[in-house]
Amino acid sequence: MQRAFALTGHETIVTSDPAISLKSDGLVVPGVGAYGACMEQLIAVGGDAIISERVASGAPILGICVGMQILFAAGTEKGGHIGLGIFAGQVSEIAAPILPHIGWNNVRSDESSILFRGLQNERFYFVHSFAAKVVVAGAANSWTNYGEDFLAAVERGSVSAVQFHPEKSGAVGAALIANWAGIL
Amino acid sequence: MTLAKRVIPCLDVAAGRVVKGVNFQNLVDAGDPVELAKFYGAAGADELTFLDISASVEERSTTLEMVARTAEQVFIPLTVGGGIRESRDVDRLLRAGADKISVNTAAIARPQLINEIADRFGDQVLVLSVDARRGETPSGFEVTTHGGRTGTGIDAFSWIVDAASRGIGEILLNSMDADGTRAGYDTEMIARVREITHVPLIASGGAGKLEDFSAALAAGADALLAASVFHFQTFTISQVKEDLARRGYEVRA
């Protein structure tokens, strides 16, 4: 991730410091682990308030994997948990016979997407069992299919989020990160 | 327009060097792990797997540094296995830049290790590595440890079902009967394991010819791991993928 940003000429800082997280040109939220655990850890460092404040002020955010999922209102993983509610709708298990969804899958990108500029129908690396399956109103919604359609990415205003791992998606992932860095 | 079947080179490493021998014996030095990882990343590998077969703590201490150097230079998922005994080992490897870790012997000795790793880092981080061979157990397949040298008497299928209930993201199914033979993946074992688990299945052991890869997919594998055929350049990853695509399988170009 840091190397991908280095290629775009941006400095990256790994931090849970509120001041830095608020003032940075862009904030990457790379969620890991289960939905509930990720929310707990985010709240423990005041990350929920920081994200809300950045959304309110139009400061760019990029959520990755569970970092995308927690932007929705709720997740059904392990009993159900409340999310940040920046996007309406819930995150639920993908209806597919083999889970997790692991590997390189195509993304059908929204025509108005900034993230996927020059990256139509490319494969990105996914590792997850849960996903958002709702159309986010007023957003660029990009889709992937595995058993069913789900959101691979959503972009609305200053908030961008991807279900896959651009930092693990080779050259196309680096290009997507560069596209996001371009709006900073 | 669907999930691609993955082709994964496996780099057996010890003391910071790549090694690979027939049935994990008669080790032959085949190069620098970081350089090989970069080479495979550029050659179209969908992931990389490092299996640390170091015999001592001193040798193993080079692994974290090697993982970190690889993760800095290779932009594809990296799985590391070997010598993981507690969740602290997982934490170190993930911090160094590994994306997934595989457990084998230590989880057989102490199955609770699987719960500990899955609960702390998520199921998706954990690849259950199963070294199985034909044996006198109910399923006809027995779990082995120490690179296939030691039988456990444990039924391989019972172990897989137990481990899956504890929380795993994938199974690396390594046939100790086929490993090193280059006579093809153990398609019988793959097909039977596919029936008892819902997680992705990585076939390992026995790849020798191009058609072996598609045979493993036909048996139910989701991903294909191989070592010597790539290390000794019997064929390239592109050649494997072209053959799979010709047979109608989705691959990443």
Side-chain angles (χ1 to χ4, degrees):
Chain A
M1 178 67 79
Q2 287 175 289
R3 182 170 160 258
F5 278 107
L7 296 173
T8 70
H10 287 80
E11 184 195 358
T12 53
I13 303 168
V14 179
T15 184
S16 55
D17 183 315
I20 294 171
S21 305
L22 266 176
K23 287 179 185 163
S24 64
D25 294 328
L27 178 70
V28 179
V29 184
V32 289
Y35 196 102
C38 184
M39 276 300 292
E40 267 179 37
Q41 287 163 27
L42 186 70
I43 290 167
V45 296
D48 51 337
I50 288 163
I51 291 171
S52 299
E53 205 170 322
R54 288 187 67 100
V55 172
S57 67
I61 291 173
L62 175 64
I64 295 177
C65 197
V66 184
M68 167 175 176
Q69 297 179 4
I70 58 164
L71 298 175
F72 285 82
T76 63
E77 189 174 1
K78 293 183 180 172
H81 298 273
I82 298 295
L84 296 174
I86 290 160
F87 301 132
Q90 70 173 19
V91 171
S92 57
E93 191 166 65
I94 301 165
I98 296 173
L99 286 177
H101 172 225
I102 298 182
W104 299 76
N105 207 335
N106 289 106
V107 175
R108 306 190 310 272
S109 55
D110 192 296
E111 283 180 7
S112 66
S113 167
I114 292 169
L115 293 179
F116 294 97
R117 272 184 194 160
L119 300 170
Q120 276 72 40
N121 290 314
E122 294 286 0
R123 288 184 187 276
F124 294 86
Y125 187 81
F126 291 81
V127 185
H128 63 126
S129 296
F130 291 76
K133 303 157 193 176
V134 291
V135 172
V136 175
N141 294 284
S142 300
W143 301 88
T144 289
N145 184 277
Y146 182 68
E148 63 177 325
D149 277 357
F150 57 82
L151 278 178
V154 58
E155 299 156 68
R156 191 179 70 189
S158 65
V159 186
S160 308
V162 291
Q163 179 58 67
F164 52 85
H165 288 271
E167 77 282 11
K168 292 293 163 187
S169 297
V172 293
L176 182 133
I177 288 170
N179 282 346
W180 184 70
I183 68 170
L184 304 182
Chain B
M1 284 294 284
T2 187
L3 183 64
K5 301 296 183 185
R6 289 170 280 157
V7 178
I8 307 171
C10 177
L11 304 166
D12 285 5
V13 297
R17 297 286 294 174
V18 174
V19 287
K20 177 67 188 182
V22 177
N23 285 321
F24 295 140
Q25 284 154 16
N26 308 318
L27 299 178
V28 179
D29 193 335
D32 172 47
V34 181
E35 287 307 306
L36 263 172
K38 282 166 72 176
F39 170 79
Y40 284 130
D46 295 310
E47 294 184 22
L48 289 170
T49 292
F50 278 140
L51 182 60
D52 186 359
I53 56 172
S54 291
S56 67
V57 175
E58 294 75 40
E59 283 186 19
R60 185 159 287 132
S61 64
T62 60
T63 304
L64 283 177
E65 186 259 336
M66 180 197 76
V67 167
R69 279 197 296 134
T70 306
E72 274 170 22
Q73 299 181 52
V74 183
F75 261 9
I76 59 173
L78 186 58
T79 302
V80 182
I84 293 158
R85 293 197 165 71
E86 50 188 319
S87 67
R88 196 171 55 180
D89 300 328
V90 178
D91 190 48
R92 286 196 198 104
L93 282 165
L94 296 181
R95 285 178 192 279
D99 299 286
K100 300 184 276 192
I101 58 93
S102 75
V103 293
N104 189 339
T105 307
I108 294 162
R110 193 173 68 84
Q112 187 65 22
L113 176 65
I114 295 173
N115 304 64
E116 288 167 15
I117 295 170
D119 290 348
R120 183 163 167 199
F121 305 101
D123 297 0
Q124 77 290 339
V125 141
L126 208 160
V127 180
L128 180 74
S129 176
V130 180
D131 291 349
R133 68 181 180 199
R134 279 162 185 74
E136 301 297 315
T137 60
S139 70
F141 291 94
E142 178 192 17
V143 178
T144 68
T145 60
H146 304 91
R149 292 191 300 271
T150 312
T152 61
I154 297 169
D155 184 73
F157 289 17
S158 302
W159 167 234
I160 286 169
V161 170
D162 177 24
S165 74
R166 296 171 184 274
I168 59 173
E170 290 178 280
I171 293 167
L172 171 58
L173 186 64
N174 189 25
S175 168
M176 300 319 297
D177 294 324
D179 191 73
T181 65
R182 300 201 181 191
Y185 291 100
D186 190 336
T187 52
E188 183 202 351
M189 185 164 73
I190 293 164
R192 288 188 54 201
V193 171
R194 179 72 283 163
E195 287 171 10
I196 59 161
T197 179
H198 299 290
V199 299
L201 201 52
I202 306 164
S204 168
K209 303 180 297 299
L210 272 183
E211 54 264 40
D212 293 339
F213 293 88
S214 54
L217 295 183
D222 302 286
L224 303 156
L225 183 135
S228 357
V229 288
F230 293 139
H231 299 331
F232 296 109
Q233 298 179 324
T234 311
F235 33 71
T236 64
I237 292 168
S238 295
Q239 285 174 311
V240 171
K241 289 188 170 182
E242 280 161 19
D243 185 71
L244 294 177
R246 202 166 49 79
R247 295 169 195 265
Y249 291 103
E250 290 272 342
V251 291
R252 181 175 70 112

